[in-house]
C-alpha cells in the first residue's frame, strides 16, 4: 500500500508519521505505551492501514414497515461500493411482541424504528442486497429478542443463496447441497448483532428474558458460531452508547462497557469455549460526546483490552484487537437552535475518525425532535463524507500520536477506568454490582450532575443556556419545530404489518405448534437454543417464539 498521499500543493503527506526519538529508552517507552498502528498495545489502532475503498460510514436507519426502511438503506448506500446497513427496530420488536391492535402496541408499530416480526419481513428489509458479499455488512441493534432476530437474518442470507442456486440449476438443492450452501453462507456473512443484555439492565431497559437465561442464549449463539466457523459476524456488540445516553460520563461509560466485555469473556470461558475461537467475534460500541475524555476513548479501550488479553489470558494477536463502532452523541443534540447540532456532530465525528474507529454513525440534526428525515440524514452522511474525502488531515492515519494533551488524557482516563474496576470488583464483579443497582445509581447521579450544571449555566451549551437567540421565544421555537416533517409510520404501513403477520401465521399454522414445542424441549434439556431457533423462525413469528421462551426461560424482573 502507498505510504504517502499527494496534496494539491504537490506535497507528500505521510499516512503514518513516525516519532523522531534517538534515545533507546524513549523509543522503548513509546513502543510500550503507543507503538505503530496495528502493533501491540494497539493504542493508535488495530490495523496498520485503513481499509481501502470502504469508509467507516455505517448509518443507522429504521422506520415504518420493512419496505420503507429498505428504501432508506438504498438511499444511504447508493454512492458507496460497500453496503453497511445498520438497523433500528421499533419498540414493539425490541420487546419481542408481534404487531397488534392492542392500544399499547398499535401506536408504536413502525415508529422510531422498523417493524419486523417474521422471516418474511427480514427478507423484504434486506431485499436487493447481496448479504454474502464481502463488501456487505449488516448490524442489528436489538438485545432481548436478539437470538430470534439473528436466526431470521441468517436464514434470510441462506435463502438468498438457495434462490440463486434454484434459478441457476432450475431445481431445488438436495439436502447435501443445502447444507453446503448453508455452511458457505455462515462462513462468509458479515455484520454484528448487539445482543448485550448486561448494559440493558444497567442503562437501556429492553430486557425481556431473565438475565441468566439471556446469557445462556448469548453463549449458545457463540457456541453455534464456533461450530459453524462463523468468523466475520460479531456475536455481540458490547455497548456503552446507551449507558452514556442514560447519563453516564465518558469514564463510567468506558469502565462499565469494558467490564461487561470481560464478564462475557469469562462466561464463555466457563462454558469451555477456547478463547481464540470467540474473542475475535466480540465488538464494542461507544458514544462520542463533547467532553475531553471522548477524544481518547478508543485509545484507552484498545490498550486495556490488548494488555489484559495478552498478559492475563494468553490470547492470540487477533483476539487482542478491540474493534469498535462509534455513534455521535444523541444526548448532545438539542431542540433549541436545532441547526447548531450538525456542528456538534461534526466535531464528534472528527474525533472518532482521528481515533481510527472501525465504523461510525453520525446523528442527524433533527433527532432531538423526530426520527431523521431523508434530508437531515443525507446531511448527517455528508458530514462523514466531507471529513473522509475532503478534510486533508485524514490522509494521515495516526493523527493523535505525538500530542502531549492526547497522551495525558489517555493516561488519565486509563487510570480512572482501572480504579472503577476496583470498585466493581469490591461489589462482587459486574453481576454482583448489578444486584445492588450500583451501575444504575452511578449513571443516575452523573446524569443529575450534568443536568444541574446545564440548568445553572456552569456547563455552557450554545443556543441552549448561552448565546441564545434574542429574537426567539417559546412560541417561535415550537413554530420552527413544526416546520420539520415528523417521521411516523402511516396507518397503511401498520395495517400492512398486521395483514402480513396474519398471512404468515396462517400459512404455517399446521407446523408452528410443533416447532414451538420442540424449541421448549431443547431449552429444558439444556441444548443449544440458537441452533433450534434457526429452525423455529421458519414457521413462527417473533411474538410466538418470545411467549414460548417465557414459559421455559423466565421473564426479566429487576432486582429491588
Amino acid at each position: 500500500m502507498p505510504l504517502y498521499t499527494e496534496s494539491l500543493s504537490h506535497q507528500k503527506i505521510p499516512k503514518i508519521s513516525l516519532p523522531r526519538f534517538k534515545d533507546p529508552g524513549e523509543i522503548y517507552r513509546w513502543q510500550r505505551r503507543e507503538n505503530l498502528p496495528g502493533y501491540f498495545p494497539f493504542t493508535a489502532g488495530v490495523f496498520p492501514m485503513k481499509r481501502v475503498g470502504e469508509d467507516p460510514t455505517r448509518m443507522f436507519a429504521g422506520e415504518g414497515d420493512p419496505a420503507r426502511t429498505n428504501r432508506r438503506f438504498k438511499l444511504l448506500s447508493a454512492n458507496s461500493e460497500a453496503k453497511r446497513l445498520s438497523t433500528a427496530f421499533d419498540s414493539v420488536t425490541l420487546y419481542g411482541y408481534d404487531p397488534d391492535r392492542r392500544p399499547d402496541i398499535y401506536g408504536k408499530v413502525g415508529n422510531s424504528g422498523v417493524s419486523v416480526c417474521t422471516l418474511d419481513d427480514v427478507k423484504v428489509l434486506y431485499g436487493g442486497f447481496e448479504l454474502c458479499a464481502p463488501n456487505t455488512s449488516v448490524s442489528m441493534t436489538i438485545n432481548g429478542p436478539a437470538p430470534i432476530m439473528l436466526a431470521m437474518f441468517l436464514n434470510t442470507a441462506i435463502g438468498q443463496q438457495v434462490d440463486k442456486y434454484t434459478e441457476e440449476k432450475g431445481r431445488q438443492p438436495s439436502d447435501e447441497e443445502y447444507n453446503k450452501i448453508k455452511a458457505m453462507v455462515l462462513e462468509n456473512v458479515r455484520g454484528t448483532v448487539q445482543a448485550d443484555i448486561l448494559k440493558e439492565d444497567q442503562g437501556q431497559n429492553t430486557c425481556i428474558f431473565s438475565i441468566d437465561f439471556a446469557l445462556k442464549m448469548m453463549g449458545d449463539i457463540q457456541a453455534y458460531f464456533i461450530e459453524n466457523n462463523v468468523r466475520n459476524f460479531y456475536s455481540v456488540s458490547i455497548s456503552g452508547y446507551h449507558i452514556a445516553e442514560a447519563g453516564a460520563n465518558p469514564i463510567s461509560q468506558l469502565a462499565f462497557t469494558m467490564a461487561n466485555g470481560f464478564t462475557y469473556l469469562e462466561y464463555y470461558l466457563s462454558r469451555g469455549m477456547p478463547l481464540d475461537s470467540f474473542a475475535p467475534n466480540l465488538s464494542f460500541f461507544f458514544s462520542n460526546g463533547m467532553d475531553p475524555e471522548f477524544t481518547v476513548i478508543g485509545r484507552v479501550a484498545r490498550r486495556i483490552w490488548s494488555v489484559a488479553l495478552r498478559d492475563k489470558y494468553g490470547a492470540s494477536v487477533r483476539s487482542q484487537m478491540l474493534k469498535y463502532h462509534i455513534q455521535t452523541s444523541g444526548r448532545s443534540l438539542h431542540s433549541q437552535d436545532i441547526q447548531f447540532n450538525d456542528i456538534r456532530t461534526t466535531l464528534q465525528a472528527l474525533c472518532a475518525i482521528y481515533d481510527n474507529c472501525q465504523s461510525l454513525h453520525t446523528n442527524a440534526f433533527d433527532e432531538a425532535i423526530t426520527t431523521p428525515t431523508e434530508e437531515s440524514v443525507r446531511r448527517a452522511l455528508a458530514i462523514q463524507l466531507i471529513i473522509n474525502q475532503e478534510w486533508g488531515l485524514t490522509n494521515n492515519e495516526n493523527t493523535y500520536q505525538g500530542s502531549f494533551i492526547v497522551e495525558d488524557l489517555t493516561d488519565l482516563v486509563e487510570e480512572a477506568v482501572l480504579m472503577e474496576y476496583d470498585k466493581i470488583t469490591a461489589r462482587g464483579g459486574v453481576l454482583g454490582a448489578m444486584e445492588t443497582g450500583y451501575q444504575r445509581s452511578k449513571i443516575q447521579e452523573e446524569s443529575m450532575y450534568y443536568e444541574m450544571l446545564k440548568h445553572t449555566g456552569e456547563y455552557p451549551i450554545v443556543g441552549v443556556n448561552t448565546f441564545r437567540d434574542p429574537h426567539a421565544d417559546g412560541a417561535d421555537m415550537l413554530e420552527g419545530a413544526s416546520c420539520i416533517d415528523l417521521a411516523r409510520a402511516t396507518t397503511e404501513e401498520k395495517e400492512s404489518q398486521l395483514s402480513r403477520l396474519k398471512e404468515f401465521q396462517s400459512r404455517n399454522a399446521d407446523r408452528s405448534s410443533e416447532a414451538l414445542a420442540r424449541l421448549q424441549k431443547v431449552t429444558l434439556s439444556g441444548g443449544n437454543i440458537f441452533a433450534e431457533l434457526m429452525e423455529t423462525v421458519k414457521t413462527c413469528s417473533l411474538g410466538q417464539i418470545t411467549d414460548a421462551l417465557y414459559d421455559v426461560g423466565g421473564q426479566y424482573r429487576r432486582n429491588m
Side-chain angles (χ1 to χ4, degrees):
M1 292 183 66
L3 297 178
Y4 295 87
T5 57
E6 186 175 315
S7 69
L8 285 175
S9 304
H10 305 294
Q11 300 300 306
K12 291 174 69 178
I13 309 300
K15 285 198 171 185
I16 304 295
S17 297
L18 301 177
R20 298 181 181 179
F21 302 135
K22 299 295 183 186
D23 179 72
E26 286 292 332
I27 294 171
Y28 171 73
R29 183 181 292 109
W30 183 82
Q31 287 181 317
R32 183 172 176 269
R33 303 289 289 169
E34 290 277 340
N35 218 337
L36 293 167
Y39 292 85
F40 184 86
F42 306 105
T43 306
V46 292
F47 300 114
M49 294 281 184
K50 290 181 180 177
R51 185 188 290 264
V52 175
E54 182 174 346
D55 287 336
T57 305
R58 186 192 287 277
M59 296 300 291
F60 202 33
E63 56 184 335
D65 61 5
R68 181 172 166 189
T69 299
N70 179 265
R71 292 192 297 271
R72 176 62 63 90
F73 281 148
K74 288 172 179 173
L75 168 76
L76 290 170
S77 62
N79 297 313
S80 175
E81 185 178 335
K83 310 301 181 186
R84 307 180 100 188
L85 316 177
S86 183
T87 316
F89 298 95
D90 67 5
S91 62
V92 178
T93 307
L94 293 177
Y95 282 100
Y97 293 114
D98 285 336
D100 200 341
R101 295 196 189 282
R102 267 174 47 182
D104 61 331
I105 288 180
Y106 188 78
K108 299 173 184 174
V109 174
N111 284 326
S112 300
V114 61
S115 172
V116 175
C117 58
T118 65
L119 184 57
D120 290 353
D121 285 344
V122 182
K123 290 177 179 178
V124 173
L125 182 62
Y126 300 116
F129 293 99
E130 179 63 67
L131 297 180
C132 284
N135 62 347
T136 299
S137 174
V138 174
S139 73
M140 294 172 285
T141 302
I142 193 164
N143 295 279
I148 306 167
M149 195 59 64
L150 176 60
M152 289 181 180
F153 170 77
L154 294 178
N155 271 288
T156 299
I158 294 165
Q160 275 191 355
Q161 298 306 310
V162 169
D163 291 345
K164 185 182 290 187
Y165 180 94
T166 303
E167 189 176 332
E168 290 175 356
K169 303 290 185 180
R171 62 176 177 83
Q172 288 286 326
S174 66
D175 289 345
E176 184 181 350
E177 289 166 335
Y178 175 84
N179 288 331
K180 285 183 179 178
I181 292 171
K182 180 179 177 181
M184 181 277 293
V185 171
L186 294 175
E187 288 179 15
N188 286 280
V189 70
R190 180 173 166 231
T192 309
V193 62
Q194 195 163 104
D196 178 2
I197 205 62
L198 296 180
K199 76 96 175 53
E200 288 299 319
D201 179 273
Q202 296 164 18
Q204 198 178 26
N205 303 322
T206 59
C207 299
I208 61 173
F209 301 115
S210 65
I211 295 294
D212 288 347
F213 184 56
L215 281 172
K216 163 73 166 72
M217 288 196 288
M218 287 180 65
D220 287 351
I221 292 173
Q222 187 55 62
Y224 183 88
F225 277 20
I226 293 169
E227 185 179 333
N228 291 276
N229 197 30
V230 181
R231 287 172 53 86
N232 300 317
F233 205 97
Y234 297 114
S235 66
V236 58
S237 175
I238 304 149
S239 303
Y241 183 85
H242 311 92
I243 291 172
E245 289 293 289
N249 66 38
I251 289 170
S252 292
Q253 176 200 185
L254 184 54
F256 292 163
T257 307
M258 297 290 290
N260 291 346
F262 285 116
T263 302
Y264 292 131
L265 185 149
E266 291 280 358
Y267 172 61
Y268 292 169
L269 286 176
S270 76
R271 287 188 49 164
M273 300 181 203
L275 177 63
D276 291 328
S277 67
F278 69 80
N281 285 101
L282 305 177
S283 67
F284 289 79
F285 172 23
F286 300 115
S287 167
N288 248 26
M290 305 297 284
D291 299 344
E293 293 89 349
F294 285 115
T295 307
V296 298
I297 207 163
R299 289 167 56 84
V300 174
R302 286 189 293 259
R303 186 189 287 177
I304 289 176
W305 185 258
S306 65
V307 170
L309 268 285
R310 188 190 73 170
D311 296 345
K312 177 174 173 58
Y313 296 101
S316 68
V317 172
R318 188 163 178 256
S319 297
Q320 295 167 25
M321 297 178 176
L322 180 144
K323 280 87 72 179
Y324 72 102
H325 171 75
I326 283 284
Q327 182 171 341
T328 58
S329 172
R331 189 166 172 247
S332 70
L333 306 181
H334 302 278
S335 56
Q336 302 99 318
D337 272 322
I338 197 169
Q339 68 276 11
F340 294 168
N341 287 334
D342 275 344
I343 301 169
R344 298 182 178 100
T345 295
T346 300
L347 295 170
Q348 294 162 10
L350 191 63
C351 281
I353 289 169
Y354 279 172
D355 206 6
N356 283 334
C357 66
Q358 271 60 61
S359 64
L360 171 64
H361 166 88
T362 35
N363 286 330
F365 74 93
D366 55 359
E367 287 190 36
I369 295 174
T370 179
T371 301
T373 59
E374 186 172 315
E375 177 194 358
S376 68
V377 82
R378 188 169 180 272
R379 284 174 58 171
L381 179 57
I383 289 172
Q384 290 198 52
L385 297 177
I386 290 167
I387 292 173
N388 283 311
Q389 299 175 23
E390 294 187 37
W391 183 247
L393 197 53
T394 55
N395 290 326
N396 174 267
E397 298 186 14
N398 64 335
T399 314
Y400 278 158
Q401 288 195 299
S403 163
F404 297 145
I405 181 57
V406 168
E407 290 176 357
D408 282 349
L409 277 171
T410 303
D411 292 342
L412 284 169
V413 173
E414 181 181 28
E415 183 177 3
V417 168
L418 296 177
M419 288 171 65
E420 185 61 44
Y421 284 175
D422 288 340
K423 296 175 185 176
I424 294 172
T425 301
R427 290 164 172 80
V430 167
L431 294 172
M434 283 165 57
E435 287 181 5
T436 58
Y438 171 71
Q439 293 95 329
R440 289 183 69 85
S441 63
K442 198 164 193 300
I443 291 167
Q444 289 166 0
E445 287 172 11
E446 291 168 3
S447 177
M448 289 299 295
Y449 179 65
Y450 164 80
E451 293 295 333
M452 181 185 71
L453 294 184
K454 184 173 78 171
H455 284 288
T456 62
E458 294 175 71
Y459 186 88
I461 301 175
V462 173
V464 177
N465 60 14
T466 184
F467 193 62
R468 299 185 64 174
D469 186 348
H471 306 296
D473 57 22
D476 291 336
M477 191 182 79
L478 290 172
E479 185 179 340
S482 68
C483 297
I484 295 173
D485 293 329
L486 299 182
R488 295 289 185 269
T490 64
T491 302
E492 290 76 16
E493 287 171 332
K494 294 175 189 289
E495 292 298 324
S496 168
Q497 282 302 93
L498 288 169
S499 62
R500 284 161 54 81
L501 171 65
K502 184 178 179 181
E503 191 276 329
F504 178 88
Q505 291 178 337
S506 298
R507 189 171 75 239
N508 296 290
D510 57 337
R511 296 183 292 166
S512 58
S513 296
E514 183 183 341
L516 293 171
R518 207 164 45 241
L519 175 64
Q520 290 181 322
K521 185 177 179 181
V522 168
T523 303
L524 291 171
S525 65
N528 190 304
I529 300 168
F530 183 72
E532 186 60 34
L533 279 171
M534 287 290 289
E535 299 301 316
T536 314
V537 297
K538 295 176 182 177
T539 56
C540 303
S541 68
L542 174 64
Q544 289 175 320
I545 297 170
T546 302
D547 287 342
L549 290 175
Y550 280 154
D551 291 340
V552 291
Q555 285 185 261
Y556 174 77
R557 295 178 69 184
R558 183 168 301 288
N559 291 311
M560 300 299 290

